Amino acid sequence: MIKPRYYFEDFTSGRSLPLAVRTVGAEEIVAFASEFDPQPMHLSEEAGKASILGGLSASGWHTASLFMRMMFDGWLSETASEGSPGIEFMEWKKPVLAGDTLSGTSTVSESRLLRSRPGIGLVKFLHEVRNQNGVAVMRGENPIMIRLRTPQEAQA
């Protein structure tokens, strides 16, 4: 097991962490949509161009899945994470089109110790995913439970 780099104590309000960069291919958009969201604009370039989205576009759920991987590869894999109790909100702001390159940030909005779980804190993040033009394509907010580096301090 790899020792985590980031613990609860490292997530101070305002801290921003980069998401990994990801280019979205047409094949993966169609593959995801074929299994999980087979609407026409997610299955063919022609149908996408005929829609309000302007081209072959990723499902919002695909965008959310890409974001999760970008977060994991960007910083979560190095964190003493214990998972998340849910998502407070998620907005799909603009379509993610085939060929888009996504990047973004996760910013700490608040954190607190959990009384019900000594040694664990709850860190709330505001996430933003942007395309290669700097346009926000997704925003979301959720808390993540993260172990303390020194859990004995939580007992004090």
Side-chain angles (χ1 to χ4, degrees), residues 25-135:
E27 303 80 23
E28 71 177 301
I29 289 174
V30 172
F32 184 95
S34 294
E35 186 164 354
F36 300 109
D37 190 357
Q39 296 182 72
M41 70 286 265
H42 305 316
L43 295 172
S44 81
E45 182 70 32
E46 297 76 30
K49 284 183 178 176
S51 77
I52 63 171
L53 302 178
L56 178 63
S57 65
S59 162
W61 297 110
H62 187 188
T63 302
S65 297
L66 291 168
F67 153 70
M68 182 66 214
R69 185 59 196 232
M70 292 166 64
M71 181 173 59
F72 181 82
D73 291 345
W75 59 269
L76 188 63
S77 64
E78 299 180 287
T79 300
S81 171
E82 292 290 335
S84 174
I87 296 173
E88 302 209 353
F89 79 86
M90 183 175 295
E91 302 172 318
W92 299 311
K93 307 296 282 178
K94 296 284 183 185
V96 171
L97 301 175
D100 279 356
T101 298
L102 306 178
S103 62
T105 54
S106 298
T107 303
V108 176
S109 57
E110 62 183 80
S111 61
R112 65 179 172 85
L113 295 174
L114 290 175
R115 285 178 283 197
S116 61
R117 295 191 180 272
I120 295 178
L122 194 69
V123 181
K124 188 182 285 188
F125 293 89
L126 179 62
H127 312 282
E128 185 171 85
V129 178
R130 296 176 293 279
N131 66 19
Q132 65 278 1
N133 300 315
V135 175

